[in-house]
Amino acid sequence: MKTRITELFGIEHPIIQGGMHFVGLAEMAAAVSNAGALGLITGLTQRTPEALAKEIARCREMTDKPFGVNLTFLPAVTPPDYPGYIQAIIEGGVKIVETAGNNPQKWLPVLKENGIKVIHKCTSVRHSLKAEAIGCDAVSVDGFECGGHPGEDDVPNFILLPRAGEELKIPFVASGGMADGRSLVAALAMGADGMNMGTRFIATEEAPVHPAVKQAIVDASELDTRLIMRSLRNTERVLDNPAVERLLAKERELGANLKFEDIIGEVAGVYPKVMQEGEVGAGAWSCGMVVGLIHDIPSCKDLVDGIMKQATDIIRGRLEAFV
């Protein structure tokens, strides 16, 4: 299947693995890329640029296919060493970067000078157009269904993707609610050039997370995610658990007086406990509504191959039969 995204990134299938904290390690990225999709190492999971350089080298040993690095730009009193991370990406020969969070404009010149393609994650059409205007090569359009941060507009992909298709000239992928061949065909029908999957890739054999995390995703339904930190305008979709319910109770009780410090116990330092130790109730961790469509834990190759077969069967069979 050839789309503008497969051509841009030199990949076989128009599927991208999203950047995920303490999930996007070399094992994950390599397995996805070896399956013909685009794997991503999550840059900030590595505590230093030196650690990221080692992770890139590890991934290089596991695949000869294209892979990228996700780099999220966050507001912070003491920001991460972004110049160091970017230098590690350049020296590691990585040619694809997924940016997220704040506007990446400051960092685009050095990335472009080194022949790196940039796809920026956006939760609205206006942000997507800004990404296009500053020179990003593609965007990942994140609908309200997505795990992690869906923005504050609450527009689901059935509206957001066609709107993006109306406005954008650069290629874009659909993110949020993507799980299978049906998702891919729907995304293509609404103007996207592929899809980005996060939560679905956690429930795979190669995902370097505790088995309890994978099982929690399989066991959950589409009703089992919650939105937290709305009052802080830092909304995040997470899998429901007792820690999340405690957090939501604090939000209701404190209302507009809520401060980040009030919920730090439920959100700070959670990912190592969850992803590595399997304490799925330790706090709030990102998860999409797409859990309702996840019923197994396949290998990345079986997952990607199954998606492409289902998508092809729908296009050539079900859809063609209607006309």
Side-chain angles (χ1 to χ4, degrees):
M1 185 179 286
K2 285 184 167 53
T3 73
R4 291 191 295 169
I5 283 293
T6 63
E7 298 293 315
L8 180 66
F9 294 138
I11 54 178
E12 187 179 352
H13 307 305
I15 300 170
I16 298 174
Q17 165 240 319
M20 295 172 284
H21 206 30
F22 281 86
V23 181
L25 305 182
E27 293 88 347
M28 181 88 267
V32 173
S33 289
N34 283 334
L38 179 65
L40 295 177
I41 294 170
T42 305
L44 294 188
T45 295
Q46 305 303 318
R47 293 187 175 276
T48 65
E50 293 75 21
L52 176 58
K54 289 179 182 175
E55 200 69 9
I56 291 169
R58 280 208 315 128
C59 193
R60 188 81 63 200
E61 291 173 358
M62 290 185 267
T63 185
D64 59 0
K65 303 286 183 67
F67 66 89
V69 172
N70 162 278
L71 198 54
T72 300
F73 298 106
L74 300 169
V77 177
T78 308
D81 180 8
Y82 287 119
Y85 282 110
I86 288 172
Q87 194 59 34
I89 290 167
I90 293 168
E91 291 178 359
V94 174
K95 294 301 180 184
I96 302 163
V97 168
E98 179 194 60
T99 55
N102 286 356
N103 188 326
Q105 184 170 11
K106 174 181 176 181
W107 310 103
L108 287 183
V110 66
L111 293 172
K112 294 288 190 174
E113 285 165 16
N114 287 277
I116 294 170
K117 304 291 187 187
V118 176
I119 179 168
H120 186 60
K121 183 162 282 195
C122 304
T123 59
S124 67
V125 174
R126 65 185 182 281
H127 292 148
S128 299
L129 287 170
K130 181 64 175 178
E132 180 178 79
I134 65 174
C136 291
D137 299 284
V139 290
S140 177
V141 178
D142 242 13
F144 185 54
E145 309 92 325
C146 73
H149 298 279
E152 307 301 326
D153 292 345
D154 300 1
V155 181
N157 267 330
F158 241 79
I159 309 302
L160 190 59
L161 296 175
R163 281 288 297 120
E166 289 175 352
E167 300 282 351
L168 289 170
K169 296 181 179 64
I170 59 174
F172 67 96
V173 296
S175 183
M178 302 292 124
D180 53 29
R182 297 170 298 181
S183 311
L184 178 56
V185 174
L188 296 172
M190 288 188 279
D193 298 281
M195 67 178 181
N196 177 302
M197 300 195 306
T199 304
R200 171 68 267 200
F201 274 123
I202 302 178
T204 56
E205 290 176 2
E206 296 93 340
V209 303
H210 196 281
V213 176
K214 302 178 188 185
Q215 195 59 48
I217 288 172
V218 171
D219 291 343
S221 84
E222 66 274 16
L223 305 177
D224 290 328
T225 68
R226 300 289 181 268
L227 295 171
I228 62 171
M229 297 190 288
R230 299 233 80 177
S231 56
L232 298 176
R233 293 191 63 77
N234 188 30
T235 302
E236 183 178 3
R237 187 178 296 282
V238 299
L239 190 67
D240 194 21
N241 62 44
V244 168
E245 291 301 328
R246 288 198 305 274
L247 189 159
L248 290 171
K250 291 179 185 179
E251 290 200 33
R252 289 190 294 269
E253 179 185 348
L254 295 172
N257 296 318
L258 181 79
K259 297 183 177 63
F260 182 75
E261 294 74 27
D262 298 318
I263 57 171
I264 199 164
E266 286 77 30
V267 297
V270 164
Y271 278 84
K273 294 177 187 174
V274 174
M275 299 301 173
Q276 295 174 342
E277 298 169 29
E279 295 180 33
V280 293
W285 51 282
S286 294
C287 183
M289 295 176 82
V290 74
V291 286
L293 299 176
I294 299 172
H295 311 301
D296 59 356
I297 304 171
S299 69
C300 286
K301 178 167 175 38
D302 285 347
L303 175 61
V304 171
D305 286 351
I307 288 170
M308 296 314 300
K309 182 182 186 308
Q310 186 183 35
T312 303
D313 289 348
I314 291 170
I315 294 166
R316 289 184 176 159
R318 178 175 167 77
L319 296 185
E320 198 168 57
F322 290 148
V323 294

XYZ file of all heavy atoms in Angstrom, residues 90-177:
650
model
N 21.027 13.131 15.612
C 21.794 13.388 14.392
C 22.969 12.417 14.281
O 23.178 11.770 13.243
C 22.298 14.849 14.383
C 21.107 15.816 14.248
C 23.306 15.071 13.247
C 21.460 17.271 14.527
N 23.733 12.300 15.363
C 24.919 11.436 15.329
C 24.546 9.962 15.202
O 25.330 9.163 14.679
C 25.755 11.668 16.593
C 26.417 13.036 16.622
C 27.215 13.283 17.891
O 27.235 12.395 18.776
O 27.806 14.377 18.001
N 23.318 9.616 15.645
C 22.864 8.237 15.517
C 22.333 7.898 14.137
O 21.943 6.756 13.888
N 22.319 8.894 13.243
C 21.874 8.657 11.870
C 20.379 8.505 11.716
O 19.897 8.037 10.666
N 19.611 8.918 12.719
C 18.145 8.838 12.645
C 17.646 9.915 11.682
O 18.056 11.073 11.770
C 17.517 9.022 14.039
C 15.998 9.079 13.951
C 17.955 7.885 14.966
N 16.740 9.545 10.777
C 16.275 10.485 9.760
C 14.797 10.861 9.911
O 14.250 11.568 9.063
C 16.512 9.901 8.364
C 17.997 9.749 8.016
C 18.727 11.089 8.078
C 20.197 10.971 7.745
N 20.912 12.266 7.910
N 14.162 10.384 10.993
C 12.747 10.693 11.224
C 12.565 11.059 12.689
O 12.996 10.321 13.579
C 11.849 9.486 10.886
C 12.041 9.053 9.428
C 10.378 9.822 11.152
C 11.530 7.656 9.127
N 11.933 12.205 12.942
C 11.638 12.631 14.310
C 10.162 12.994 14.415
O 9.636 13.731 13.573
C 12.504 13.842 14.725
C 11.992 14.466 16.014
C 13.963 13.409 14.902
N 9.509 12.439 15.436
C 8.149 12.859 15.777
C 8.255 13.843 16.927
O 8.745 13.505 17.999
C 7.288 11.670 16.199
C 5.871 12.100 16.592
C 5.096 11.013 17.330
O 5.562 10.576 18.411
O 4.027 10.629 16.842
N 7.820 15.080 16.695
C 7.810 16.072 17.760
C 6.400 16.171 18.336
O 5.412 15.868 17.681
C 8.271 17.453 17.254
O 7.465 17.841 16.129
C 9.732 17.418 16.837
N 6.337 16.585 19.598
C 5.048 16.726 20.284
C 5.198 17.797 21.348
O 6.301 18.262 21.638
C 4.631 15.389 20.905
N 4.058 18.188 21.939
C 4.102 19.203 22.984
C 4.175 20.597 22.395
O 3.406 20.951 21.502
N 5.125 21.391 22.866
C 5.246 22.781 22.426
C 5.683 22.878 20.965
O 6.183 21.914 20.381
C 6.263 23.519 23.307
C 5.703 23.814 24.692
O 4.545 23.531 24.975
N 6.535 24.355 25.559
N 5.513 24.053 20.404
C 5.909 24.347 19.029
C 7.385 23.990 18.812
O 8.261 24.472 19.525
C 5.693 25.849 18.768
C 5.887 26.234 17.311
O 6.714 25.665 16.617
N 5.121 27.206 16.856
N 7.683 23.150 17.800
C 9.076 22.716 17.576
C 9.878 23.645 16.669
O 10.998 23.302 16.277
C 8.885 21.367 16.897
C 7.645 21.562 16.064
C 6.747 22.465 16.896
N 9.332 24.814 16.339
C 9.952 25.678 15.323
C 11.426 25.971 15.605
O 12.250 25.968 14.688
C 9.177 26.994 15.215
C 9.686 27.912 14.110
C 8.756 29.086 13.858
O 7.831 29.335 14.644
N 8.980 29.806 12.780
N 11.749 26.199 16.871
C 13.122 26.536 17.253
C 14.124 25.472 16.827
O 15.291 25.765 16.547
C 13.155 26.725 18.778
C 14.527 26.935 19.374
C 14.409 27.083 20.893
C 15.789 27.202 21.548
N 15.679 27.311 23.021
N 13.646 24.214 16.778
C 14.553 23.096 16.541
C 14.543 22.602 15.094
O 15.367 21.770 14.716
C 14.187 21.928 17.476
C 14.050 22.377 18.891
C 12.879 22.588 19.580
C 15.109 22.704 19.794
N 13.141 23.017 20.857
C 14.505 23.098 21.022
C 16.504 22.686 19.698
C 15.251 23.479 22.135
C 17.256 23.073 20.801
C 16.628 23.464 21.992
N 13.634 23.125 14.284
C 13.515 22.629 12.915
C 14.748 22.885 12.044
O 15.155 21.998 11.284
C 12.266 23.209 12.242
C 10.918 22.649 12.712
C 9.793 23.261 11.897
C 10.881 21.138 12.604
N 15.366 24.082 12.118
C 16.510 24.315 11.219
C 17.613 23.270 11.347
O 18.089 22.744 10.335
C 16.994 25.714 11.627
C 15.765 26.390 12.139
C 14.994 25.312 12.847
N 18.000 22.921 12.569
C 19.096 21.957 12.736
C 18.668 20.562 12.286
O 19.470 19.809 11.718
C 19.615 21.945 14.194
C 18.558 21.424 15.159
C 20.895 21.121 14.305
N 17.400 20.224 12.498
C 16.913 18.926 12.041
C 16.911 18.873 10.512
O 17.373 17.901 9.902
C 15.504 18.669 12.597
C 15.404 18.479 14.110
C 13.938 18.439 14.552
C 16.123 17.212 14.567
N 16.406 19.938 9.897
C 16.335 19.983 8.433
C 17.728 19.979 7.800
O 17.957 19.325 6.766
C 15.579 21.244 7.989
C 14.113 21.269 8.381
C 13.331 20.309 7.560
C 11.840 20.499 7.771
N 11.065 19.665 6.861
N 18.662 20.704 8.417
C 20.032 20.760 7.887
C 20.662 19.374 7.840
O 21.574 19.123 7.040
C 20.894 21.676 8.765
C 20.634 23.154 8.574
C 21.227 23.979 9.714
O 22.078 23.426 10.471
O 20.840 25.149 9.852
N 20.172 18.486 8.687
C 20.728 17.139 8.762
C 19.839 16.100 8.083
O 19.976 14.895 8.333
C 20.990 16.771 10.218
C 22.187 17.498 10.793
O 23.322 17.085 10.608
N 21.932 18.623 11.466
N 18.951 16.578 7.213
C 18.148 15.680 6.392
C 17.109 14.875 7.157
O 16.738 13.775 6.734
N 16.636 15.434 8.279
C 15.680 14.714 9.120
C 14.254 15.160 8.797
O 13.967 16.356 8.737
C 15.994 14.941 10.614
C 17.352 14.306 10.953
C 14.894 14.385 11.512
C 17.886 14.653 12.329
N 13.373 14.191 8.561
C 11.952 14.471 8.329
C 11.245 14.604 9.678
O 11.486 13.815 10.597
C 11.297 13.340 7.530
C 11.956 13.029 6.199
C 11.765 14.139 5.205
C 12.292 13.741 3.822
N 12.258 14.870 2.880
N 10.361 15.594 9.777
C 9.687 15.881 11.045
C 8.183 15.731 10.892
O 7.571 16.332 10.005
C 10.019 17.305 11.548
C 9.240 17.620 12.818
C 11.515 17.445 11.791
N 7.590 14.904 11.754
C 6.142 14.790 11.855
C 5.752 15.294 13.238
O 6.295 14.845 14.248
C 5.654 13.345 11.610
C 4.130 13.257 11.756
C 6.367 12.325 12.482
C 3.533 11.950 11.258
N 4.841 16.269 13.296
C 4.464 16.891 14.577
C 3.071 16.427 14.987
O 2.162 16.353 14.159
C 4.484 18.415 14.450
C 4.258 19.130 15.747
N 5.088 18.977 16.838
C 3.289 20.003 16.133
C 4.639 19.727 17.846
N 3.556 20.343 17.435
N 2.928 16.110 16.258
C 1.642 15.631 16.775
C 0.778 16.822 17.153
O 1.200 17.700 17.913
C 1.869 14.722 17.981
C 0.592 14.122 18.534
C 0.880 12.919 19.421
C 1.178 11.707 18.582
N 1.121 10.443 19.355
N -0.463 16.865 16.621
C -1.375 17.989 16.832
C -2.753 17.482 17.244
O -3.171 16.395 16.830
C -1.538 18.815 15.551
S 0.015 19.444 14.870
N -3.460 18.280 18.041
C -4.806 17.894 18.467
C -5.886 18.794 17.866
O -7.049 18.698 18.251
C -4.921 17.932 20.005
O -4.625 19.262 20.457
C -3.957 16.954 20.647
N -5.508 19.643 16.917
C -6.484 20.535 16.295
C -6.036 20.888 14.883
O -4.853 20.758 14.539
C -6.646 21.823 17.111
O -5.448 22.587 17.047
N -6.984 21.372 14.084
C -6.656 21.797 12.728
C -5.757 23.027 12.762
O -4.791 23.130 11.989
C -7.942 22.082 11.925
C -7.602 22.674 10.556
C -8.755 20.812 11.753
N -6.032 23.960 13.677
C -5.224 25.187 13.718
C -3.767 24.893 14.064
O -2.850 25.481 13.489
C -5.826 26.208 14.689
C -5.844 25.814 16.144
C -6.575 26.855 17.006
N -6.550 26.518 18.418
C -7.345 25.626 19.000
N -8.248 24.977 18.270
N -7.272 25.389 20.292
N -3.543 23.951 14.979
C -2.169 23.581 15.303
C -1.516 22.822 14.140
O -0.311 22.958 13.897
C -2.133 22.724 16.567
C -2.504 23.474 17.806
N -3.151 22.901 18.879
C -2.348 24.782 18.137
C -3.352 23.801 19.815
N -2.885 24.956 19.389
N -2.299 22.034 13.422
C -1.780 21.317 12.258
C -1.338 22.296 11.173
O -0.282 22.124 10.547
C -2.845 20.367 11.698
O -3.224 19.410 12.657
N -2.136 23.328 10.960
C -1.788 24.340 9.959
C -0.539 25.108 10.368
O 0.285 25.477 9.520
C -2.963 25.297 9.754
C -4.144 24.713 8.978
C -5.352 25.642 9.050
C -3.754 24.474 7.517
N -0.388 25.345 11.676
C 0.827 26.011 12.167
C 2.048 25.121 11.913
O 3.105 25.612 11.480
C 0.680 26.300 13.662
C 1.889 27.013 14.274
C 2.085 28.397 13.689
C 3.217 29.127 14.402
N 3.458 30.469 13.812
N 1.899 23.822 12.170
C 3.002 22.888 11.923
C 3.390 22.899 10.443
O 4.576 22.876 10.097
C 2.616 21.482 12.366
N 2.388 22.928 9.575
C 2.649 23.002 8.133
C 3.380 24.300 7.790
O 4.357 24.289 7.028
C 1.328 22.916 7.376
C 1.459 22.988 5.864
C 0.100 22.854 5.185
O -0.649 23.865 5.148
O -0.211 21.759 4.706
N 2.933 25.406 8.388
C 3.498 26.718 8.060
C 4.953 26.847 8.484
O 5.741 27.528 7.813
C 2.664 27.820 8.720
N 5.338 26.204 9.585
C 6.717 26.346 10.057
C 7.667 25.359 9.379
O 8.873 25.402 9.607
C 6.822 26.198 11.591
C 6.433 24.782 12.049
C 5.993 27.269 12.285
C 6.643 24.535 13.535
N 7.113 24.432 8.560
C 7.972 23.569 7.777
C 7.999 22.108 8.160
O 8.861 21.362 7.666
N 7.075 21.666 9.015
C 7.016 20.233 9.316
C 6.640 19.473 8.042
O 5.885 19.968 7.205
C 5.993 19.952 10.411
S 6.495 20.573 12.035
N 7.157 18.272 7.907
C 6.917 17.478 6.706
C 5.576 16.768 6.730
O 5.018 16.423 5.683
C 8.025 16.432 6.548
C 9.401 17.071 6.408
O 9.684 17.589 5.312
O 10.155 17.079 7.392
N 5.063 16.504 7.932
C 3.783 15.804 8.098
C 3.264 16.096 9.492
O 3.990 16.639 10.341
C 3.971 14.297 7.904
N 2.018 15.759 9.729
C 1.464 15.886 11.075
C 0.715 14.610 11.447
O 0.232 13.868 10.584
C 0.520 17.105 11.244
C 1.281 18.407 11.188
C -0.588 17.096 10.215
N 0.660 14.362 12.749
C -0.147 13.291 13.309
C -1.330 13.957 13.998
O -1.146 14.703 14.961
C 0.686 12.485 14.310
O -0.088 11.479 14.918
N -2.516 13.741 13.472
C -3.714 14.422 13.976
C -4.370 13.549 15.042
O -4.836 12.452 14.761
C -4.693 14.720 12.823
C -5.957 15.380 13.352
C -4.028 15.621 11.783
N -4.387 14.062 16.260
C -4.813 13.321 17.450
C -6.245 13.664 17.821
O -6.521 14.775 18.268
C -3.895 13.712 18.613
C -3.109 12.549 19.156
O -3.083 11.509 18.498
O -2.512 12.697 20.229
N -7.151 12.713 17.659
C -8.542 12.948 18.020
C -8.795 12.795 19.516
O -7.959 12.294 20.268
N -9.984 13.197 19.940
C -10.378 13.192 21.350
C -10.331 11.797 21.970
O -10.193 11.646 23.182
C -11.794 13.773 21.460
C -12.303 13.944 22.857
C -11.576 14.650 23.801
C -13.528 13.415 23.225
C -12.055 14.822 25.096
C -14.018 13.575 24.514
C -13.281 14.280 25.450
N -10.404 10.763 21.136
C -10.412 9.385 21.634
C -9.050 8.934 22.156
O -8.950 7.917 22.848
C -10.809 8.410 20.515
C -12.074 8.750 19.763
C -11.817 9.584 18.516
O -10.883 10.429 18.536
O -12.538 9.388 17.529
N -7.998 9.664 21.807
C -6.637 9.169 22.001
C -6.268 9.013 23.467
O -6.798 9.686 24.339
C -5.637 10.102 21.323
S -5.401 11.682 22.163
N -5.318 8.105 23.718
C -4.693 8.040 25.022
C -3.707 9.180 25.161
O -3.205 9.721 24.174
N -3.404 9.571 26.399
C -2.507 10.701 26.586
C -3.254 12.015 26.493
O -4.383 12.131 26.968
N -2.637 12.994 25.860
C -3.176 14.358 25.891
C -3.969 14.681 24.622
O -3.392 14.869 23.550
C -2.031 15.350 26.069
C -1.301 15.170 27.364
N -1.775 15.684 28.551
C -0.162 14.506 27.661
C -0.943 15.350 29.531
N 0.039 14.629 29.013
N -5.307 14.769 24.717
C -6.144 15.029 23.539
C -6.391 16.514 23.270
O -7.191 16.853 22.399
C -7.461 14.337 23.905
C -7.547 14.515 25.393
C -6.125 14.457 25.905
N -5.723 17.401 24.010
C -6.009 18.825 23.849
C -7.255 19.223 24.600
O -7.795 18.456 25.414
N -7.751 20.405 24.313
C -8.892 20.933 25.075
C -10.108 21.217 24.201
O -11.079 21.812 24.659
C -8.472 22.220 25.807
C -7.212 22.083 26.668
C -7.329 21.029 27.757
O -8.444 20.855 28.302
O -6.316 20.363 28.060
N -10.086 20.795 22.926
C -11.202 21.084 22.027
C -12.247 19.975 21.991
O -13.384 20.202 21.563
C -10.689 21.313 20.600
C -9.868 22.586 20.464
O -9.938 23.427 21.381
O -9.156 22.726 19.457
N -11.858 18.761 22.384
C -12.780 17.621 22.464
C -13.423 17.273 21.129
O -14.612 16.922 21.064
C -13.880 17.879 23.509
C -13.348 18.091 24.908
O -12.114 18.060 25.084
O -14.152 18.298 25.828
N -12.648 17.338 20.045
C -13.182 16.999 18.727
C -12.733 15.582 18.358
O -11.536 15.322 18.270
C -12.709 17.997 17.648
C -13.299 17.625 16.283
C -13.098 19.415 18.028
N -13.683 14.668 18.138
C -13.294 13.290 17.781
C -12.872 13.187 16.318
O -13.114 14.088 15.503
C -14.574 12.491 18.045
C -15.677 13.484 17.866
C -15.133 14.812 18.290
N -12.245 12.057 15.992
C -11.616 11.915 14.678
C -12.591 11.903 13.508
O -12.195 12.218 12.386
C -10.738 10.662 14.648
C -9.301 10.975 15.014
O -8.817 12.075 14.766
N -8.601 10.013 15.607
N -13.857 11.523 13.751
C -14.805 11.526 12.638
C -15.022 12.936 12.086
O -15.420 13.102 10.932
C -16.144 10.915 13.070
C -16.510 9.685 12.295
C -15.926 8.465 12.596
C -17.412 9.730 11.249
C -16.239 7.322 11.878
C -17.737 8.600 10.516
C -17.148 7.393 10.837
N -14.748 13.943 12.894
C -14.836 15.334 12.454
C -13.453 15.903 12.180
O -13.218 16.575 11.175
C -15.539 16.204 13.526
C -16.863 15.579 13.963
C -15.732 17.634 13.014
C -17.851 15.365 12.844
N -12.509 15.600 13.079
C -11.189 16.218 13.005
C -10.425 15.822 11.746
O -9.785 16.658 11.099
C -10.387 15.839 14.254
C -9.070 16.571 14.488
C -9.299 18.083 14.585
C -8.395 16.054 15.749
N -10.489 14.552 11.361
C -9.721 14.096 10.189
C -10.215 14.712 8.881
O -9.399 15.219 8.095
C -9.728 12.571 10.116
C -9.044 11.851 11.281
C -9.218 10.340 11.153
C -7.568 12.213 11.364
N -11.522 14.697 8.589
C -11.969 15.359 7.365
C -11.657 16.859 7.349
O -11.329 17.418 6.302
C -13.483 15.120 7.343
C -13.685 13.905 8.184
C -12.632 13.985 9.243
N -11.729 17.497 8.538
C -11.385 18.919 8.591
C -9.902 19.122 8.258
O -9.543 20.048 7.523
C -11.680 19.478 9.995
C -13.141 19.782 10.237
C -13.604 21.025 9.457
N -12.876 22.208 9.901
C -12.108 22.951 9.113
N -11.961 22.642 7.821
N -11.492 24.013 9.596
N -9.062 18.253 8.798
C -7.637 18.336 8.480
C -7.417 18.119 6.987
O -6.609 18.810 6.350
C -6.847 17.311 9.292
N -8.160 17.158 6.421
C -8.052 16.888 4.991
C -8.453 18.069 4.133
O -7.911 18.282 3.043
N -9.414 18.851 4.618
C -9.854 20.045 3.884
C -8.793 21.143 3.884
O -8.713 21.936 2.946
C -11.137 20.596 4.506
C -12.373 19.749 4.277
C -13.589 20.272 5.012
O -13.453 21.223 5.828
O -14.679 19.734 4.795
N -8.007 21.207 4.942
C -7.129 22.360 5.148
C -5.652 22.106 4.827
O -4.954 23.004 4.378
C -7.227 22.819 6.615
C -8.628 23.229 7.054
C -9.021 24.621 6.587
O -8.141 25.340 6.064
O -10.187 24.988 6.753
N -5.171 20.894 5.081
C -3.734 20.640 4.989
C -3.272 20.280 3.578
O -3.995 19.615 2.838
C -3.345 19.501 5.928
C -3.373 19.783 7.425
C -3.212 18.480 8.200
C -2.286 20.776 7.824
N -2.075 20.700 3.253
C -1.431 20.275 2.005
C -0.419 19.157 2.271
O -0.190 18.310 1.413
C -0.731 21.459 1.324
C -1.698 22.558 0.874
C -0.942 23.681 0.192
C -1.888 24.775 -0.290
N -2.594 25.441 0.830
N 0.215 19.167 3.445
C 1.188 18.123 3.772
C 0.450 16.862 4.212
O -0.705 16.914 4.633
C 2.172 18.589 4.873
C 1.417 18.975 6.157
C 3.045 19.727 4.380
C 2.332 19.309 7.324
N 1.093 15.702 4.117
C 0.429 14.462 4.540
C 0.199 14.417 6.046
O 0.937 15.053 6.818
C 1.407 13.368 4.108
C 2.710 14.041 3.894
C 2.420 15.456 3.541
N -0.827 13.675 6.452
C -1.077 13.512 7.884
C -1.560 12.093 8.159
O -2.063 11.406 7.271
C -2.089 14.545 8.393
C -3.489 14.410 7.879
C -4.469 13.738 8.616
C -3.859 14.962 6.659
C -5.767 13.620 8.152
C -5.160 14.856 6.187
C -6.120 14.178 6.934
N -1.348 11.668 9.402
C -1.841 10.368 9.833
C -2.875 10.564 10.925
O -2.858 11.564 11.654
C -0.709 9.443 10.341
C 0.267 9.126 9.226
C 0.014 10.028 11.543
N -3.782 9.598 11.035
C -4.815 9.617 12.063
C -4.277 8.973 13.330
O -3.687 7.896 13.284
C -6.045 8.859 11.578
N -4.503 9.620 14.448
C -4.059 9.094 15.735
C -5.202 9.187 16.730
O -5.903 10.191 16.781
C -2.852 9.897 16.232
O -2.361 9.374 17.438
N -5.388 8.126 17.516
C -6.491 8.099 18.471
C -7.592 7.186 17.973
O -8.228 7.457 16.955
N -7.795 6.059 18.647
C -8.845 5.128 18.246
C -8.429 4.170 17.150
O -9.269 3.458 16.600
